[in-house]
Amino acid sequence: DAGITQSPRHKVTETGTPVTLRCHQTENHRYMYWYRQDPGHGLRLIHYSYGVKDTDKGEVSDGYSVSRSKTEDFLLTLESATSSQTSVYFCAIRLDTGITEAFFGQGTRLTVV
Amino acid sequence: AQSVTQLDSQVPVFEEAPVELRCNYSSSVSVYLFWYVQYPNQGLQLLLKYLSGSTLVESINGFEAEFNKSQTSFHLRKPSVHISDTAEYFCAVSERGSQGNLIFGKGTKLSVKP
């Protein structure tokens, strides 16, 4: 499973509150990604990182920020959660060995009420 | 810009029947192509991939997909499905030489009935 851990696995939060989701990998690969999955939309890229402090925006980055202060951790923050951010969030990594596919974590189900 | 179209949102089939899940993509550059499978309440697992070489790629559990450059397609097939194949299947593409960002289709739910 490429050693990816997402926390928390489930969270319910209120509109307007900040929320941080964590993705941890055990093998220190450079590339990490955050996706959200919504019915009828598949998975859409929020942000990605290609190294410590190196991040960039994806397709649906509005309302989200990320940080990567250590190779093994990639944090996704919803500064002020809205109901439209209710979703399942997946972290993924790409191995540094030249393999092109991504490996996914188990997901975090976030509900904003 | 890249995009991926999965033409069927749901595909119901009977056990032991053949199935084809369709995927078309658009891109102005060379791409890598992937099929991922997601079982209920789980993450995504790689099913198979096309990087280069032979246009027909196979998975260990009997699925195969064929890259067709002229039709920009990467359809997934299995000659005989099992109940355990019930899952959602996602087609994805990434540009060669890119940061590895995957663009996903909207998914196809395969439901295998006894």
Side-chain angles (χ1 to χ4, degrees):
Chain A
D1 64 357
I4 305 169
T5 305
Q6 291 187 232
S7 59
R9 294 291 313 280
H10 301 271
K11 186 171 182 65
V12 180
T13 192
E14 293 185 350
T15 299
T17 61
V19 177
T20 295
L21 309 182
R22 179 179 183 243
C23 177
H24 177 80
Q25 58 157 323
T26 58
E27 299 182 5
N28 294 324
H29 295 290
R30 284 182 59 202
Y31 290 92
M32 299 184 75
Y33 309 86
W34 276 108
Y35 290 87
R36 61 176 289 175
Q37 182 181 19
D38 304 289
H41 290 276
L43 282 84
R44 292 176 291 176
L45 182 65
I46 305 171
H47 282 279
Y48 65 97
S49 171
Y50 44 95
V52 173
K53 297 191 189 323
D54 291 324
T55 65
D56 207 346
K57 296 179 179 179
E59 177 189 357
V60 290
S61 59
D62 287 349
Y64 301 94
S65 63
V66 290
S67 66
R68 193 162 179 205
S69 58
K70 298 186 291 184
T71 303
E72 60 266 35
D73 289 324
F74 191 30
L75 304 180
L76 177 70
T77 297
L78 290 66
E79 302 290 350
S80 177
T82 67
S83 58
S84 64
Q85 294 175 311
T86 292
S87 186
V88 181
Y89 291 86
F90 286 98
C91 174
I93 66 171
R94 184 162 70 96
L95 306 186
D96 290 344
T97 56
I99 298 172
T100 53
E101 67 265 30
F103 294 87
F104 286 80
Q106 292 298 298
T108 295
R109 184 173 296 275
L110 176 68
T111 303
V112 183
V113 298
Chain B
Q2 294 175 309
S3 66
V4 177
T5 302
Q6 292 184 244
L7 295 165
D8 304 297
S9 60
Q10 298 189 41
V11 174
V13 295
F14 288 105
E15 193 173 19
E16 298 184 4
V19 71
E20 179 180 79
L21 307 184
R22 295 177 292 171
C23 173
N24 288 88
Y25 69 93
S26 67
S27 177
S28 58
V29 299
S30 295
V31 297
Y32 300 123
L33 294 158
F34 308 88
W35 276 100
Y36 282 85
V37 59
Q38 184 180 35
Y39 299 102
N41 299 312
Q42 294 189 23
L44 277 73
Q45 303 171 31
L46 181 70
L47 188 60
L48 44 75
K49 63 184 177 183
Y50 171 77
L51 305 180
S52 64
S54 172
T55 57
L56 185 66
V57 291
E58 300 177 352
S59 73
I60 59 173
N61 57 352
F63 283 93
E64 64 179 31
E66 186 161 18
F67 169 56
N68 187 318
K69 187 175 182 180
S70 62
Q71 296 186 6
T72 59
S73 68
F74 191 54
H75 301 330
L76 181 69
R77 304 184 183 95
K78 190 171 185 179
S80 176
V81 294
H82 302 288
I83 298 287
S84 59
D85 293 323
T86 294
E88 190 159 18
Y89 293 79
F90 292 93
C91 182
V93 63
S94 70
E95 288 185 357
R96 292 173 183 267
S98 72
Q99 305 277 25
N101 301 350
L102 290 169
I103 304 298
F104 284 88
K106 295 183 178 181
T108 298
K109 289 187 178 179
L110 176 63
S111 176
V112 182
K113 306 177 187 303

